[in-house]
Amino acid sequence: MEKVSILIVGKYAEIECNLDRFRDHFNVLKLSDLSDINKIDEPELKKVQAIAFKGHSTLNSNTLKKLPSLRLISNFGVGYETINVADAKAANVLVTYTPDVLSDDVADLALALLFGVSRHLLQGDDWIRSGSWREKGEMPLNKKISGSTCGIIGLGRIGFEIAKRLESFKIKIHYYSRSRKNVSQKWIYHKSPVNLAKVVDNLFVSLVGGEGTRGFVSSEVLDALGPRGILVNISRGSTINETALLEALEKKKIYGAGLDVFENEPNINARFLSLKNVFIQPHQGSCTRETRKAMGELQFQNILECLAGRKALTPIPEMN
Ligand code: 8YV
């Protein structure tokens, strides 16, 4: 019997995508970038029933109309803002994602970013390598985190994990989300991100991406955070007004920022590179071998279950 065709899209590390196992079950077509889709012959495309999707390129009706047999888009990642869900629904295509398995890693990195900025970890490293420790003695004093007050904008799975970790640093938790969450009574809810930013020492952004949250962290929020405040973003670059953020950092309106995500990745705004008050990372929140393996496994299981006519493990909420 002819195997069902699937299309694997994106640049995967070996541990993220077990190609042999995919090939045991399916006829596999591969693309490292969705924009190359026309390199595959039309009759082959017409047979594709599922896409294993990795990356952040736009996937909408332009692609879907080339794939009339498609039943599933299985996303590698928790954020799926570049997949047009309305177009997928209209084409009767299910979308799945990989929540939970990456929350710990992303939350871990969020705390690393906070300490990277507050304890000047890069400058400390350089203090040794440049010989300053020997020549000048102690490095300049920095900023205490334990016992402070932190705010979290967006208390989803990852925001929740960040808050739990912060509590072990004797930090008081405040948060903003669309509605009050059923969480510890000690965590204080704010209806407005500006009011939240006014009362906290440091602020984490863990919103979902997409048009609904574009520029959500505005210049007003940054002003409210103030010159002693650190901003950490592990969500999407789009959730912060990046022009306002660059200005706030350049004019020292905030203390600093720890950023794993940017607008226009990987060609980020060059102004970030000359700033000393940022600790920046190349969107590596979920980039541990263990977590990427788990994400790949969940992506595969979603395809296996769905194409066998069973319930997918983790459909996106809009599909329920
Ligand atoms: C991945 C992510 O880097 O899960 C997400 O939404 O941003 C990251 O875990 C990405 O999805 C892989 O392309």
Side-chain angles (χ1 to χ4, degrees), residues 54-56 76-80 98 102 235-236 283 286 292 295:
K54 181 185 177 193
H56 304 281
F76 182 92
V78 71
Y80 52 89
T98 61
L102 47 68
S235 63
R236 287 291 184 263
H283 197 150
S286 65
R292 285 302 179 85
M295 289 164 69

Side-chain angles (χ1 to χ4, degrees), residues 268-279:
I268 73 166
N269 192 314
R271 282 160 69 194
F272 281 112
L273 309 181
S274 45
L275 289 166
K276 290 269 180 268
N277 52 353
V278 294
F279 189 87

